[in-house]
Amino acid sequence: MKKESLGSLFWERFRRNSLAVSGGVIVICLFVLAVLAPVISPYKPNDIDRNSILMPPDIRHPLGTDDLGRDVLSRMIYGARISLAVGFVAVGIAALIGIVFGAVAGYYGGWIERIIMRFIDIMLTIPTFFLILAVIAFVEPSIWNIMIVIGLTGWMGVARLVRAEFLSVKERDYVMAARALGASDFRIIFRHIMINSMAPVLVSAVLGIAGAVLVESALSFLGIGVQPPTPSWGNILTLGKDNIEIAWWLSVFPGFAILITVLGYNLLGEGIRDSIDPRLRESERR
Amino acid sequence: MLTYLAKRLLEMIPTLFGITLISFLIIHLAPGKPTDALSEMNPKMTPEARERLEKYYGLDKPVMVQYGLWLKRIVRLDFGESFSMDRRPVMQKIWDTKQPITERRLFITFMLNLMAMIIILLIAIPIGISSATHQHTLFDKITTTTVFVGFAMPSFWLALLLMLLFGVYLDWLPISGLKSMNYDALPFWGKVIDRVRHLVLPLFVVAFGSLAADSRYMRSSMLEVIRQDYVTVARAKGLSEKAVIYRHAFRNALLPLITLIGLSVPGLIGGSVIFENIFGIAGMGQLFFNGVMARDYPLIMAILTIGAFLTLLGNLLADVGYMLADPRIRTGQ
């Protein structure tokens, strides 16, 4: 009963927040686009048409064509798949690492905590984008490696959050009770404490997806991310830069897609945060 | 104050040590090797030649031994020789003493980021304050929306759009490099104008991203402060609104922003790879990108170390700024 009412309370608040809902709609639309890509896109993303190279948008190609005569709209629809996959997998990896480190640090304390927190401080001091670049250079630039590298360099925020939650929760009575009943550390960490600290992790994960999408597109734009001919919004923009004097459509549309996607995740993430904990919002309005 | 500074500087040493160790391990344990790039390009490369090459660069030794050797040199600020064809010392590539200071890569990147930061502060603080003092007005709504879009804006796309508009269609501004071909022939003021024209777009792009975050932060921090009792007291004793905001509320609202600025340093440095690549600026970011493409270990390590050092320095300066702005911390209460 209690759980259900919490859930419906959340939904009630979320529904009234029009910005949050529009964020959710954007994310759902992206999902639909990515899943139905083969059905929706007017052309195959890698179909080369030598007779229509670098054509501006018209009826046959609503968003124009690129330097090989490929349809930009179709390539962008397939690009949504890349963007979604990278966002979710990278953040999944980051959240997993962050949860484990944060939980261990917060639960055990002592020297383990000090080492982990020091490690986090150090990781936060290395310019992340430099580190990602350095690693990408030594592994094959494939979509899988990009997901892994973005995940491995993005877990520090989640770890800090989880640790803070653990510190505030681990002395509560119900945790004591579980311990008194003889529950194992593993069980206490994952069954009793974790459940109660998932909300901020979820929010930070949704916002993290936005960050991962930005990093992937930047890497692909620099030519060390998703490799052509696989279409990604970032690598279409590279063509936009190369042909900036003659083909504006290659620069304008893919970037707009990135902007809307990132905006969608940001709105959704902040909407979830406001709905879970309205106090955070009230403090601003007070 | 001085003892505090000295303590903080000493604390930086183990952190820097940790950073270099982690970076070194990550780079050296990654599956690819610098010699891969050479053998891919040169089909005549025999396994024996490759081995000789690895021996020459010291890559045949265990990673920890390599790290020890690297550390021994780094203490003397010697970052080793670049792996690239020219074999120049890495330090010369970053800080070329044969060139005038304005042409040295570290200087270019440092100055660009510094200028961007000054611009960010000069714009973000007033925007944040007016947005807070005029909450729920049209101005506040417009800035809030702009800021939200600003958060989501990929900086390289913004750069492309600006290049399209001002460089290609309007043809007002140059889109590449930091000076024109005929720079040396220009009179003094011509040189100044030429520099400024080249800087407008890159600086705008670098500043824009942080501008959004910082003005937002300033706004919420100001909102928090102007509801405090002492601000009400200041109003109650008949001070003008201007005096209340700028003399009483402002200093306290500034505190969280100082921390944020310190934290934004790694992002700014990392971002320089992207915008230097787009605008064709010969700075550290571009050098790093080229080094990464050539798998040039010494160069990559040098720039990672310098980047981390600048970040630590930024954090330290933020803390010092915090102390200067907050007498409670200064007097150690």
Side-chain angles (χ1 to χ4, degrees):
Chain A
M1 278 301 279
K2 178 81 178 141
K3 201 174 172 190
E4 200 181 293
S5 68
L6 262 181
S8 57
L9 202 63
F10 167 82
W11 177 238
E12 201 48 44
R13 288 202 211 102
F14 186 85
R15 220 183 44 179
R16 268 186 277 132
N17 183 346
S18 57
L19 282 177
V21 172
S22 47
V25 170
I26 292 173
V27 172
I28 292 172
C29 285
L30 275 172
F31 261 101
V32 173
L33 270 182
V35 173
L36 297 183
V39 186
I40 305 173
S41 34
Y43 299 85
K44 288 212 179 74
N46 292 327
D47 269 2
I48 294 173
D49 182 356
R50 281 178 209 289
N51 296 320
S52 52
I53 281 171
L54 289 175
M55 296 290 273
D58 61 12
I59 296 180
R60 288 195 312 136
H61 301 281
L63 301 186
T65 62
D66 68 6
D67 58 343
L68 296 174
R70 295 173 295 193
D71 180 55
V72 173
L73 176 63
S74 307
R75 287 183 73 72
M76 278 177 56
I77 294 174
Y78 274 87
R81 292 185 154 187
I82 302 286
S83 156
L84 264 182
V86 170
F88 275 83
V89 176
V91 167
I93 295 172
L96 206 68
I97 302 174
I99 286 172
V100 170
F101 273 129
V104 169
Y107 187 76
Y108 291 106
W111 62 270
I112 298 181
E113 183 185 20
R114 275 203 299 279
I115 289 180
I116 292 178
M117 294 319 284
R118 197 74 217 206
F119 184 49
I120 290 176
D121 285 344
I122 288 175
M123 288 293 289
L124 284 173
T125 317
I126 307 176
T128 317
F129 198 72
F130 271 19
L131 197 61
I132 292 177
L133 272 179
V135 178
I136 290 283
F138 291 102
V139 298
E140 289 297 306
S142 76
I143 176 166
W144 294 106
N145 284 329
I146 286 166
M147 291 170 178
I148 294 170
V149 173
I150 296 177
L152 287 179
T153 48
W155 52 271
M156 291 83 77
V158 174
R160 282 185 153 182
L161 265 178
V162 173
R163 169 180 165 267
E165 289 291 319
F166 264 65
L167 287 181
S168 73
V169 167
K170 75 172 176 188
E171 300 301 332
R172 297 265 173 89
D173 290 343
Y174 72 90
V175 177
M176 291 295 176
R179 199 170 293 150
L181 285 172
S184 67
D185 281 357
F186 186 83
R187 192 180 163 84
I188 294 176
I189 289 178
F190 287 99
R191 284 299 305 266
H192 296 277
I193 307 184
M194 194 64 81
I195 293 295
N196 287 293
S197 50
M198 275 337 279
V201 173
L202 178 69
V203 172
S204 120
V206 176
L207 296 175
I209 295 176
V213 169
L214 277 176
V215 172
E216 181 276 316
S217 61
L219 288 174
S220 298
F221 175 72
L222 289 174
I224 48 180
V226 176
Q227 298 296 304
T230 309
S232 97
W233 297 338
N235 68 30
I236 304 174
L237 281 173
T238 316
L239 296 178
K241 186 196 163 213
D242 294 344
N243 300 296
I244 192 160
E245 312 265 345
I246 43 176
W248 58 269
W249 54 95
L250 289 175
S251 292
V252 171
F253 299 122
F256 192 67
I258 301 171
L259 175 72
I260 293 294
T261 305
V262 173
L263 203 59
Y265 286 119
N266 280 345
L267 288 171
L268 182 66
E270 301 216 342
I272 295 175
R273 173 165 61 206
D274 293 345
S275 311
I276 290 172
D277 191 353
R279 273 173 308 163
L280 292 173
R281 204 182 164 80
E282 293 299 317
S283 71
E284 194 172 287
R285 280 201 182 141
R286 186 179 49 192
Chain B
M1 178 80 185
L2 275 178
T3 43
Y4 172 80
L5 262 182
K7 210 182 117 202
R8 282 297 309 268
L9 277 171
L10 275 180
E11 271 177 12
M12 272 169 68
I13 295 172
T15 315
L16 209 55
F17 178 76
I19 292 168
T20 56
L21 179 63
I22 293 176
S23 316
F24 200 89
L25 287 180
I26 291 177
I27 293 169
H28 284 252
L29 294 180
K33 277 198 171 167
T35 42
D36 289 354
L38 290 173
S39 13
E40 277 157 22
M41 275 185 285
N42 186 355
K44 280 193 205 146
M45 185 86 133
T46 57
E48 293 80 45
R50 203 181 143 141
E51 229 163 70
R52 265 205 310 281
L53 208 62
E54 282 180 8
K55 201 157 196 158
Y56 176 77
Y57 288 134
L59 295 171
D60 53 341
K61 301 189 182 75
V63 177
M64 288 319 287
V65 175
Q66 287 187 48
Y67 178 67
L69 289 174
W70 183 83
L71 208 60
K72 226 164 91 187
R73 274 188 279 118
I74 215 76
V75 182
R76 299 192 307 261
L77 273 183
D78 172 11
F79 286 103
E81 257 176 33
S82 161
F83 280 4
S84 64
M85 297 303 177
D86 56 13
R87 299 263 168 82
R88 282 170 64 201
V90 169
M91 208 54 198
Q92 279 293 313
K93 289 200 163 189
I94 296 168
W95 192 258
D96 192 345
T97 41
K98 290 191 200 78
Q99 300 254 18
I101 190 162
T102 49
E103 301 295 318
R104 296 178 192 169
R105 289 187 181 260
L106 181 58
F107 180 84
I108 290 175
T109 302
F110 184 79
M111 284 312 281
L112 274 173
N113 280 314
L114 191 69
M115 281 190 273
M117 215 156 201
I118 293 170
I119 295 171
I120 291 166
L121 291 181
L122 285 181
I123 301 177
I125 292 176
I127 287 184
I129 292 177
S130 340
S131 192
T133 49
H134 302 86
Q135 205 187 357
H136 303 309
T137 60
L138 185 66
F139 174 76
D140 180 34
K141 287 201 177 100
I142 291 175
T143 52
T144 305
T145 315
T146 316
V147 160
F148 220 92
V149 175
F151 269 134
M153 186 73 118
S155 60
F156 57 95
W157 185 51
L158 181 67
L160 278 182
L161 290 184
L162 293 173
M163 283 161 78
L164 259 182
L165 181 62
F166 294 106
V168 177
Y169 284 91
L170 297 173
D171 205 11
W172 288 353
L173 294 167
I175 57 176
S176 170
L178 282 179
K179 56 182 188 184
S180 307
M181 303 279 258
N182 61 351
Y183 178 78
D184 291 322
L186 291 170
F188 176 74
W189 283 108
K191 282 183 179 167
V192 173
I193 291 171
D194 188 58
R195 286 269 177 200
V196 172
R197 274 165 46 88
H198 279 86
L199 279 174
V200 173
L201 291 184
L203 280 182
F204 184 84
V205 171
V206 181
F208 188 80
S210 309
L211 202 59
D214 290 5
S215 64
R216 188 76 194 158
Y217 220 70
M218 191 68 212
R219 174 179 179 270
S220 58
S221 161
M222 197 70 191
L223 280 177
E224 192 106 328
V225 169
I226 52 179
R227 284 171 179 80
Q228 301 285 329
D229 289 342
Y230 65 84
V231 172
T232 316
V233 169
R235 280 213 183 92
K237 71 178 182 184
L239 289 182
S240 71
E241 189 61 23
K242 219 175 170 177
V244 171
I245 297 292
Y246 286 95
R247 284 196 58 88
H248 293 255
F250 178 63
R251 284 181 75 163
N252 284 291
L254 208 54
L255 290 178
L257 194 71
I258 293 175
T259 317
L260 189 75
I261 295 164
L263 287 176
S264 68
V265 173
L268 281 176
I269 296 176
S272 57
V273 175
I274 300 175
F275 77 80
E276 285 179 8
N277 183 296
I278 297 178
F279 289 110
I281 296 171
M284 281 245 291
Q286 199 194 54
L287 184 66
F288 186 74
F289 185 74
N290 296 342
V292 158
M293 297 316 270
R295 300 183 176 173
D296 191 344
Y297 281 160
L299 186 66
I300 296 173
M301 273 308 293
I303 296 181
L304 275 177
T305 310
I306 292 172
F309 177 74
L310 288 178
T311 307
L312 286 176
L313 210 62
N315 289 348
L316 180 65
L317 286 180
D319 285 353
V320 171
Y322 214 101
M323 281 175 73
L324 292 177
D326 191 342
R328 279 168 306 185
I329 302 176
R330 194 165 56 220
T331 54
Q333 279 171 24

